[in-house]
Amino acid sequence: MKVVVRDYQSDDWLPVEQMVLNAENFGTAFLEHEKRKVAAFTSFPQLGKVIVAKDPGNGRVLGYAALQFEWKALVITSIISHHNYLRHGIGRKLVDRIKAIGEMHPDTDVIRVDTGDFMDYAHRFYLSCGFTKVGYVQHYLSWHNHQVIFAYQLKRRETE
Ligand SMILES: CC(C)(COP(=O)(O)OP(=O)(O)OC[C@H]1O[C@@H](n2cnc3c(N)ncnc32)[C@H](O)[C@@H]1OP(=O)(O)O)[C@@H](O)C(=O)NCCC(=O)NCCS
C-alpha cells in the first residue's frame, strides 16, 4: 500500500481522534491524554514530535505516531494504524520514519517503546521492525498493568 509519512498538521486532528477512538487498546479513555500530548509536542518541538501516514492519492490519514525526546532516547508514546488498514505496512512505514528521525537527532542512541504484556500483536510488530525485547516491568502504567519494553539501537557503527 502506498503511504507517505509527514509531520502532523493541526487539521489532522479529526482523523487522528477517530483512529485513537477506534484502535484496539486505545479508545475514549486515552483521548484527552493523546490530545494533550499532540498539543504539547506540536507547541514545544524540543519535547517531542507527531507524525502521520497518509494515502497520497486521497490524502486520507491512515496512521499516527507520537514521539517524545528523552535523554539519549526517542520514545514512541503512541503508534496507531487505521483499524480498517491493519497489516498493510503502515505501522512499518511510521517506524521507518521514526528511525530516520532518531538517526538525524545527534544525541539519540536508542528508540524505546513499551507495550502491554498481553498485546502479543504489538510484540510481533516491534520484533518485525527490528526491535529487541529489553525488559519487563510490573505495575507500570497502573497497578496490575505489566509492560514489556522494546528497544532499537540507532547509529550502529561498522566496528560494533
Ligand atoms: C501495532 C500496529 C500499529 C501495527 O500496525 P500495522 O500497520 O498493522 O503493521 P504493519 O502492517 O506495518 O506490520 C508490519 C509487521 O509487523 C507484524 N505484525 C503486525 N501486526 C501483527 C499482528 N496483528 N499479528 C502478528 N504480527 C503482526 C508482521 O510481521 C507485519 O508484517 P507482515 O504483515 O508482512 O507479516 C497496529 O496493530 C495498531 O494500530 N494497533 C492498535 C494500536 C496499538 O496497539 N498500538 C501499539 C501500542 S504499543
Side-chain angles (χ1 to χ4, degrees):
M1 185 173 192
K2 212 163 189 278
V3 292
V4 291
V5 179
R6 62 147 173 77
D7 288 359
Y8 171 92
Q9 295 168 358
S10 55
D11 60 354
D12 294 325
W13 174 249
L14 283 182
V16 167
E17 181 181 53
Q18 285 309 308
M19 279 194 295
V20 173
L21 289 173
N22 289 317
E24 192 174 352
N25 294 307
F26 279 80
T28 320
F30 286 79
L31 194 59
E32 273 312 304
H33 182 68
E34 292 298 318
K35 201 174 186 176
R36 278 201 300 276
K37 255 183 350 194
V38 168
F41 294 166
T42 49
S43 305
F44 299 99
Q46 67 276 29
L47 288 185
K49 194 171 184 70
V50 183
I51 57 174
V52 292
K54 282 195 145 192
D55 179 329
N58 56 20
R60 194 156 173 219
V61 177
L62 299 175
Y64 151 79
L67 317 170
Q68 183 164 354
F69 293 112
E70 291 193 353
W71 190 80
K72 297 276 188 190
L74 181 60
V75 178
I76 303 175
T77 67
S78 310
I79 181 164
I80 299 176
S81 294
H82 191 292
H83 67 289
N84 286 340
Y85 297 91
L86 297 175
R87 303 294 291 268
H88 281 70
I90 296 165
R92 192 189 296 278
K93 285 265 168 57
L94 287 165
V95 169
D96 287 346
R97 171 57 67 91
I98 295 165
K99 289 176 181 173
I101 293 167
E103 294 291 356
M104 284 183 298
H105 205 263
D107 296 328
T108 302
D109 269 0
V110 72
I111 302 172
R112 194 171 69 236
V113 65
D114 62 78
T115 186
D117 64 347
F118 60 95
M119 287 164 62
D120 195 49
Y121 65 92
H123 303 179
R124 288 170 190 271
F125 170 66
Y126 293 122
L127 290 173
S128 96
C129 290
F131 283 65
T132 303
K133 181 178 165 183
V134 295
Y136 173 79
V137 189
Q138 288 188 304
H139 309 298
Y140 190 68
L141 297 181
S142 62
W143 206 251
H144 299 311
N145 162 270
H146 312 311
Q147 293 290 101
V148 179
I149 320 289
F150 290 86
Y152 177 88
Q153 186 192 6
L154 292 160
K155 304 177 178 72
R156 289 170 207 239
R157 289 172 189 88
E158 297 276 318
T159 51
E160 283 181 12

mmCIF file of all heavy atoms in Angstrom, residues 23-26 79-82 85-93 113-116 119-122 124-126 128-129, ligand 1:
data_model
loop_
_atom_site.group_PDB
_atom_site.id
_atom_site.type_symbol
_atom_site.label_atom_id
_atom_site.label_comp_id
_atom_site.label_asym_id
_atom_site.label_seq_id
_atom_site.Cartn_x
_atom_site.Cartn_y
_atom_site.Cartn_z
ATOM 1 N N ALA A 23 -8.971 2.382 17.789
ATOM 2 C CA ALA A 23 -7.854 1.435 17.870
ATOM 3 C C ALA A 23 -8.004 0.486 19.053
ATOM 4 O O ALA A 23 -8.425 0.893 20.144
ATOM 5 C CB ALA A 23 -6.533 2.195 17.985
ATOM 6 N N GLU A 24 -7.608 -0.765 18.804
ATOM 7 C CA GLU A 24 -7.570 -1.766 19.873
ATOM 8 C C GLU A 24 -6.648 -1.253 20.991
ATOM 9 O O GLU A 24 -5.570 -0.709 20.717
ATOM 10 C CB GLU A 24 -6.995 -3.061 19.278
ATOM 11 C CG GLU A 24 -7.149 -4.265 20.156
ATOM 12 C CD GLU A 24 -6.698 -5.535 19.430
ATOM 13 O OE1 GLU A 24 -6.424 -5.491 18.217
ATOM 14 O OE2 GLU A 24 -6.621 -6.566 20.120
ATOM 15 N N ASN A 25 -7.099 -1.387 22.222
ATOM 16 C CA ASN A 25 -6.340 -0.976 23.410
ATOM 17 C C ASN A 25 -6.123 0.535 23.532
ATOM 18 O O ASN A 25 -5.314 0.976 24.344
ATOM 19 C CB ASN A 25 -4.995 -1.715 23.480
ATOM 20 C CG ASN A 25 -5.209 -3.180 23.702
ATOM 21 O OD1 ASN A 25 -5.901 -3.569 24.638
ATOM 22 N ND2 ASN A 25 -4.680 -4.011 22.827
ATOM 23 N N PHE A 26 -6.805 1.321 22.728
ATOM 24 C CA PHE A 26 -6.875 2.766 22.958
ATOM 25 C C PHE A 26 -8.351 3.048 23.277
ATOM 26 O O PHE A 26 -8.904 2.422 24.159
ATOM 27 C CB PHE A 26 -6.355 3.561 21.747
ATOM 28 C CG PHE A 26 -4.853 3.647 21.712
ATOM 29 C CD1 PHE A 26 -4.092 2.588 21.232
ATOM 30 C CD2 PHE A 26 -4.196 4.771 22.176
ATOM 31 C CE1 PHE A 26 -2.702 2.661 21.217
ATOM 32 C CE2 PHE A 26 -2.812 4.848 22.167
ATOM 33 C CZ PHE A 26 -2.075 3.794 21.683
ATOM 34 N N ILE A 79 1.515 4.634 18.816
ATOM 35 C CA ILE A 79 1.577 4.352 17.375
ATOM 36 C C ILE A 79 0.304 3.602 17.015
ATOM 37 O O ILE A 79 -0.052 2.614 17.678
ATOM 38 C CB ILE A 79 2.878 3.600 16.982
ATOM 39 C CG1 ILE A 79 2.916 3.360 15.463
ATOM 40 C CG2 ILE A 79 3.075 2.330 17.759
ATOM 41 C CD1 ILE A 79 4.309 2.974 14.939
ATOM 42 N N ILE A 80 -0.386 4.110 16.016
ATOM 43 C CA ILE A 80 -1.688 3.535 15.653
ATOM 44 C C ILE A 80 -1.809 3.530 14.128
ATOM 45 O O ILE A 80 -1.541 4.540 13.477
ATOM 46 C CB ILE A 80 -2.850 4.383 16.234
ATOM 47 C CG1 ILE A 80 -2.784 4.421 17.766
ATOM 48 C CG2 ILE A 80 -4.196 3.843 15.782
ATOM 49 C CD1 ILE A 80 -3.839 5.327 18.414
ATOM 50 N N SER A 81 -2.261 2.399 13.583
ATOM 51 C CA SER A 81 -2.655 2.347 12.172
ATOM 52 C C SER A 81 -4.179 2.296 12.118
ATOM 53 O O SER A 81 -4.824 1.739 13.019
ATOM 54 C CB SER A 81 -2.085 1.096 11.502
ATOM 55 O OG SER A 81 -0.683 1.171 11.452
ATOM 56 N N HIS A 82 -4.737 2.843 11.066
ATOM 57 C CA HIS A 82 -6.199 2.856 10.907
ATOM 58 C C HIS A 82 -6.741 1.430 11.018
ATOM 59 O O HIS A 82 -6.199 0.502 10.396
ATOM 60 C CB HIS A 82 -6.534 3.453 9.540
ATOM 61 C CG HIS A 82 -7.971 3.768 9.366
ATOM 62 N ND1 HIS A 82 -8.936 2.801 9.282
ATOM 63 C CD2 HIS A 82 -8.606 4.953 9.281
ATOM 64 C CE1 HIS A 82 -10.119 3.377 9.134
ATOM 65 N NE2 HIS A 82 -9.938 4.694 9.135
ATOM 66 N N TYR A 85 -7.134 -0.758 8.020
ATOM 67 C CA TYR A 85 -5.966 -0.978 7.152
ATOM 68 C C TYR A 85 -4.806 -1.600 7.926
ATOM 69 O O TYR A 85 -3.646 -1.258 7.687
ATOM 70 C CB TYR A 85 -5.528 0.344 6.503
ATOM 71 C CG TYR A 85 -6.578 0.931 5.597
ATOM 72 C CD1 TYR A 85 -7.517 1.836 6.095
ATOM 73 C CD2 TYR A 85 -6.663 0.551 4.262
ATOM 74 C CE1 TYR A 85 -8.502 2.363 5.271
ATOM 75 C CE2 TYR A 85 -7.643 1.071 3.432
ATOM 76 C CZ TYR A 85 -8.559 1.978 3.945
ATOM 77 O OH TYR A 85 -9.531 2.493 3.123
ATOM 78 N N LEU A 86 -5.123 -2.492 8.862
ATOM 79 C CA LEU A 86 -4.051 -3.171 9.595
ATOM 80 C C LEU A 86 -3.376 -4.162 8.654
ATOM 81 O O LEU A 86 -3.985 -4.663 7.707
ATOM 82 C CB LEU A 86 -4.628 -3.889 10.820
ATOM 83 C CG LEU A 86 -5.260 -2.961 11.872
ATOM 84 C CD1 LEU A 86 -5.918 -3.776 12.975
ATOM 85 C CD2 LEU A 86 -4.236 -1.985 12.459
ATOM 86 N N ARG A 87 -2.103 -4.432 8.916
ATOM 87 C CA ARG A 87 -1.290 -5.366 8.114
ATOM 88 C C ARG A 87 -1.159 -4.916 6.666
ATOM 89 O O ARG A 87 -1.072 -5.738 5.748
ATOM 90 C CB ARG A 87 -1.845 -6.800 8.174
ATOM 91 C CG ARG A 87 -1.971 -7.388 9.560
ATOM 92 C CD ARG A 87 -0.655 -7.609 10.279
ATOM 93 N NE ARG A 87 0.215 -8.640 9.762
ATOM 94 C CZ ARG A 87 0.209 -9.898 10.185
ATOM 95 N NH1 ARG A 87 -0.626 -10.260 11.133
ATOM 96 N NH2 ARG A 87 1.051 -10.779 9.701
ATOM 97 N N HIS A 88 -1.134 -3.593 6.448
ATOM 98 C CA HIS A 88 -0.874 -3.055 5.108
ATOM 99 C C HIS A 88 0.476 -2.339 5.061
ATOM 100 O O HIS A 88 0.743 -1.596 4.133
ATOM 101 C CB HIS A 88 -1.975 -2.072 4.687
ATOM 102 C CG HIS A 88 -3.236 -2.728 4.213
ATOM 103 N ND1 HIS A 88 -4.081 -3.406 5.054
ATOM 104 C CD2 HIS A 88 -3.777 -2.825 2.972
ATOM 105 C CE1 HIS A 88 -5.101 -3.874 4.349
ATOM 106 N NE2 HIS A 88 -4.940 -3.541 3.082
ATOM 107 N N GLY A 89 1.273 -2.502 6.114
ATOM 108 C CA GLY A 89 2.607 -1.896 6.110
ATOM 109 C C GLY A 89 2.661 -0.461 6.609
ATOM 110 O O GLY A 89 3.723 0.179 6.547
ATOM 111 N N ILE A 90 1.538 0.062 7.118
ATOM 112 C CA ILE A 90 1.513 1.463 7.575
ATOM 113 C C ILE A 90 2.365 1.636 8.841
ATOM 114 O O ILE A 90 3.161 2.572 8.952
ATOM 115 C CB ILE A 90 0.055 1.915 7.829
ATOM 116 C CG1 ILE A 90 -0.725 1.881 6.517
ATOM 117 C CG2 ILE A 90 0.008 3.311 8.461
ATOM 118 C CD1 ILE A 90 -2.233 1.942 6.682
ATOM 119 N N GLY A 91 2.204 0.713 9.790
ATOM 120 C CA GLY A 91 2.974 0.790 11.030
ATOM 121 C C GLY A 91 4.472 0.749 10.746
ATOM 122 O O GLY A 91 5.249 1.535 11.304
ATOM 123 N N ARG A 92 4.874 -0.133 9.826
ATOM 124 C CA ARG A 92 6.311 -0.238 9.493
ATOM 125 C C ARG A 92 6.821 1.068 8.860
ATOM 126 O O ARG A 92 7.936 1.504 9.141
ATOM 127 C CB ARG A 92 6.542 -1.422 8.549
ATOM 128 C CG ARG A 92 7.998 -1.791 8.390
ATOM 129 C CD ARG A 92 8.207 -2.795 7.298
ATOM 130 N NE ARG A 92 7.581 -4.082 7.561
ATOM 131 C CZ ARG A 92 8.119 -5.032 8.321
ATOM 132 N NH1 ARG A 92 9.273 -4.812 8.929
ATOM 133 N NH2 ARG A 92 7.507 -6.186 8.484
ATOM 134 N N LYS A 93 5.984 1.692 8.029
ATOM 135 C CA LYS A 93 6.385 2.973 7.405
ATOM 136 C C LYS A 93 6.576 4.047 8.487
ATOM 137 O O LYS A 93 7.494 4.856 8.421
ATOM 138 C CB LYS A 93 5.311 3.449 6.419
ATOM 139 C CG LYS A 93 5.296 2.686 5.122
ATOM 140 C CD LYS A 93 6.127 3.442 4.060
ATOM 141 C CE LYS A 93 6.415 2.606 2.814
ATOM 142 N NZ LYS A 93 5.236 2.090 2.151
ATOM 143 N N VAL A 113 10.145 1.741 23.367
ATOM 144 C CA VAL A 113 8.682 1.710 23.392
ATOM 145 C C VAL A 113 8.261 0.651 24.410
ATOM 146 O O VAL A 113 8.969 -0.333 24.604
ATOM 147 C CB VAL A 113 8.119 1.403 21.978
ATOM 148 C CG1 VAL A 113 8.492 0.022 21.474
ATOM 149 C CG2 VAL A 113 6.609 1.607 21.910
ATOM 150 N N ASP A 114 7.166 0.891 25.098
ATOM 151 C CA ASP A 114 6.639 -0.165 25.974
ATOM 152 C C ASP A 114 5.223 -0.496 25.554
ATOM 153 O O ASP A 114 4.506 0.331 24.994
ATOM 154 C CB ASP A 114 6.718 0.248 27.454
ATOM 155 C CG ASP A 114 5.903 1.469 27.764
ATOM 156 O OD1 ASP A 114 4.672 1.349 27.890
ATOM 157 O OD2 ASP A 114 6.500 2.565 27.889
ATOM 158 N N THR A 115 4.854 -1.737 25.815
ATOM 159 C CA THR A 115 3.534 -2.207 25.408
ATOM 160 C C THR A 115 3.035 -3.255 26.396
ATOM 161 O O THR A 115 3.841 -3.908 27.060
ATOM 162 C CB THR A 115 3.603 -2.750 23.954
ATOM 163 O OG1 THR A 115 2.299 -3.074 23.527
ATOM 164 C CG2 THR A 115 4.495 -3.953 23.829
ATOM 165 N N GLY A 116 1.719 -3.382 26.500
ATOM 166 C CA GLY A 116 1.144 -4.309 27.475
ATOM 167 C C GLY A 116 1.646 -5.735 27.280
ATOM 168 O O GLY A 116 1.832 -6.181 26.143
ATOM 169 N N MET A 119 -0.315 -7.828 24.851
ATOM 170 C CA MET A 119 -0.525 -7.343 23.476
ATOM 171 C C MET A 119 0.437 -8.033 22.516
ATOM 172 O O MET A 119 1.369 -7.431 21.970
ATOM 173 C CB MET A 119 -0.385 -5.810 23.433
ATOM 174 C CG MET A 119 -1.594 -5.143 24.072
ATOM 175 S SD MET A 119 -1.360 -3.416 24.506
ATOM 176 C CE MET A 119 -1.052 -2.655 22.946
ATOM 177 N N ASP A 120 0.136 -9.342 22.324
ATOM 178 C CA ASP A 120 1.026 -10.167 21.520
ATOM 179 C C ASP A 120 1.254 -9.597 20.114
ATOM 180 O O ASP A 120 2.358 -9.643 19.580
ATOM 181 C CB ASP A 120 0.409 -11.571 21.447
ATOM 182 C CG ASP A 120 1.406 -12.573 20.972
ATOM 183 O OD1 ASP A 120 2.527 -12.583 21.511
ATOM 184 O OD2 ASP A 120 1.081 -13.320 20.029
ATOM 185 N N TYR A 121 0.183 -9.032 19.511
ATOM 186 C CA TYR A 121 0.319 -8.495 18.141
ATOM 187 C C TYR A 121 1.344 -7.359 18.104
ATOM 188 O O TYR A 121 2.111 -7.232 17.139
ATOM 189 C CB TYR A 121 -1.034 -8.000 17.595
ATOM 190 C CG TYR A 121 -1.619 -6.828 18.333
ATOM 191 C CD1 TYR A 121 -1.356 -5.518 17.924
ATOM 192 C CD2 TYR A 121 -2.403 -7.007 19.472
ATOM 193 C CE1 TYR A 121 -1.876 -4.429 18.609
ATOM 194 C CE2 TYR A 121 -2.919 -5.924 20.163
ATOM 195 C CZ TYR A 121 -2.645 -4.641 19.729
ATOM 196 O OH TYR A 121 -3.150 -3.566 20.423
ATOM 197 N N ALA A 122 1.354 -6.525 19.173
ATOM 198 C CA ALA A 122 2.297 -5.399 19.210
ATOM 199 C C ALA A 122 3.726 -5.921 19.399
ATOM 200 O O ALA A 122 4.669 -5.404 18.793
ATOM 201 C CB ALA A 122 1.911 -4.420 20.315
ATOM 202 N N ARG A 124 4.882 -8.729 18.309
ATOM 203 C CA ARG A 124 5.310 -9.257 16.991
ATOM 204 C C ARG A 124 5.656 -8.114 16.046
ATOM 205 O O ARG A 124 6.596 -8.200 15.257
ATOM 206 C CB ARG A 124 4.209 -10.121 16.378
ATOM 207 C CG ARG A 124 4.057 -11.441 17.093
ATOM 208 C CD ARG A 124 2.806 -12.141 16.597
ATOM 209 N NE ARG A 124 2.502 -13.289 17.418
ATOM 210 C CZ ARG A 124 2.977 -14.506 17.180
ATOM 211 N NH1 ARG A 124 3.752 -14.718 16.153
ATOM 212 N NH2 ARG A 124 2.657 -15.503 17.983
ATOM 213 N N PHE A 125 4.867 -7.047 16.137
ATOM 214 C CA PHE A 125 5.113 -5.883 15.278
ATOM 215 C C PHE A 125 6.493 -5.288 15.575
ATOM 216 O O PHE A 125 7.299 -5.080 14.659
ATOM 217 C CB PHE A 125 4.000 -4.852 15.490
ATOM 218 C CG PHE A 125 4.265 -3.528 14.847
ATOM 219 C CD1 PHE A 125 4.327 -3.402 13.467
ATOM 220 C CD2 PHE A 125 4.478 -2.388 15.618
ATOM 221 C CE1 PHE A 125 4.595 -2.175 12.867
ATOM 222 C CE2 PHE A 125 4.737 -1.164 15.028
ATOM 223 C CZ PHE A 125 4.799 -1.056 13.651
ATOM 224 N N TYR A 126 6.796 -5.021 16.855
ATOM 225 C CA TYR A 126 8.088 -4.388 17.170
ATOM 226 C C TYR A 126 9.252 -5.316 16.816
ATOM 227 O O TYR A 126 10.271 -4.861 16.296
ATOM 228 C CB TYR A 126 8.141 -3.964 18.649
ATOM 229 C CG TYR A 126 7.156 -2.856 18.953
ATOM 230 C CD1 TYR A 126 6.162 -3.003 19.910
ATOM 231 C CD2 TYR A 126 7.201 -1.657 18.244
ATOM 232 C CE1 TYR A 126 5.236 -1.999 20.155
ATOM 233 C CE2 TYR A 126 6.282 -0.650 18.478
ATOM 234 C CZ TYR A 126 5.304 -0.827 19.433
ATOM 235 O OH TYR A 126 4.397 0.169 19.653
ATOM 236 N N SER A 128 9.277 -7.484 14.441
ATOM 237 C CA SER A 128 9.424 -7.495 12.978
ATOM 238 C C SER A 128 10.031 -6.193 12.467
ATOM 239 O O SER A 128 10.565 -6.166 11.359
ATOM 240 C CB SER A 128 8.086 -7.789 12.304
ATOM 241 O OG SER A 128 7.458 -6.605 11.927
ATOM 242 N N CYS A 129 9.956 -5.127 13.256
ATOM 243 C CA CYS A 129 10.574 -3.845 12.864
ATOM 244 C C CYS A 129 12.018 -3.747 13.378
ATOM 245 O O CYS A 129 12.617 -2.658 13.350
ATOM 246 C CB CYS A 129 9.750 -2.670 13.389
ATOM 247 S SG CYS A 129 8.150 -2.478 12.574
HETATM 248 C C1 LIG B 1 0.620 -2.265 16.225
HETATM 249 C C2 LIG B 1 0.122 -1.613 14.941
HETATM 250 C C3 LIG B 1 0.497 -0.128 14.949
HETATM 251 C C4 LIG B 1 0.813 -2.297 13.749
HETATM 252 O O1 LIG B 1 0.449 -1.561 12.586
HETATM 253 P P1 LIG B 1 0.248 -2.229 11.138
HETATM 254 O O2 LIG B 1 0.136 -1.112 10.161
HETATM 255 O O3 LIG B 1 -0.877 -3.196 11.158
HETATM 256 O O4 LIG B 1 1.633 -3.007 10.969
HETATM 257 P P2 LIG B 1 2.360 -3.451 9.618
HETATM 258 O O5 LIG B 1 1.337 -3.803 8.585
HETATM 259 O O6 LIG B 1 3.376 -2.425 9.243
HETATM 260 O O7 LIG B 1 3.089 -4.772 10.112
HETATM 261 C C5 LIG B 1 4.483 -4.986 9.990
HETATM 262 C C6 LIG B 1 4.771 -6.378 10.512
HETATM 263 O O8 LIG B 1 4.507 -6.448 11.926
HETATM 264 C C7 LIG B 1 3.991 -7.752 12.261
HETATM 265 N N1 LIG B 1 2.600 -7.620 12.706
HETATM 266 C C8 LIG B 1 1.828 -6.503 12.644
HETATM 267 N N2 LIG B 1 0.601 -6.768 13.177
HETATM 268 C C9 LIG B 1 0.611 -8.050 13.553
HETATM 269 C C10 LIG B 1 -0.361 -8.917 14.132
HETATM 270 N N3 LIG B 1 -1.594 -8.493 14.432
HETATM 271 N N4 LIG B 1 -0.014 -10.213 14.385
HETATM 272 C C11 LIG B 1 1.213 -10.655 14.104
HETATM 273 N N5 LIG B 1 2.194 -9.901 13.530
HETATM 274 C C12 LIG B 1 1.891 -8.620 13.264
HETATM 275 C C13 LIG B 1 4.054 -8.570 10.962
HETATM 276 O O9 LIG B 1 5.326 -9.188 10.896
HETATM 277 C C14 LIG B 1 3.917 -7.483 9.914
HETATM 278 O O10 LIG B 1 4.442 -7.850 8.643
HETATM 279 P P3 LIG B 1 3.504 -8.749 7.641
HETATM 280 O O11 LIG B 1 2.122 -8.157 7.666
HETATM 281 O O12 LIG B 1 4.215 -8.582 6.311
HETATM 282 O O13 LIG B 1 3.533 -10.143 8.185
HETATM 283 C C15 LIG B 1 -1.414 -1.819 14.760
HETATM 284 O O14 LIG B 1 -1.727 -3.166 15.053
HETATM 285 C C16 LIG B 1 -2.295 -0.935 15.619
HETATM 286 O O15 LIG B 1 -2.525 0.231 15.302
HETATM 287 N N6 LIG B 1 -2.819 -1.492 16.724
HETATM 288 C C17 LIG B 1 -3.711 -0.750 17.615
HETATM 289 C C18 LIG B 1 -2.959 0.283 18.417
HETATM 290 C C19 LIG B 1 -1.826 -0.366 19.193
HETATM 291 O O16 LIG B 1 -1.991 -1.361 19.885
HETATM 292 N N7 LIG B 1 -0.636 0.247 19.053
HETATM 293 C C20 LIG B 1 0.563 -0.227 19.724
HETATM 294 C C21 LIG B 1 0.538 0.263 21.090
HETATM 295 S S1 LIG B 1 2.024 -0.153 21.961
#
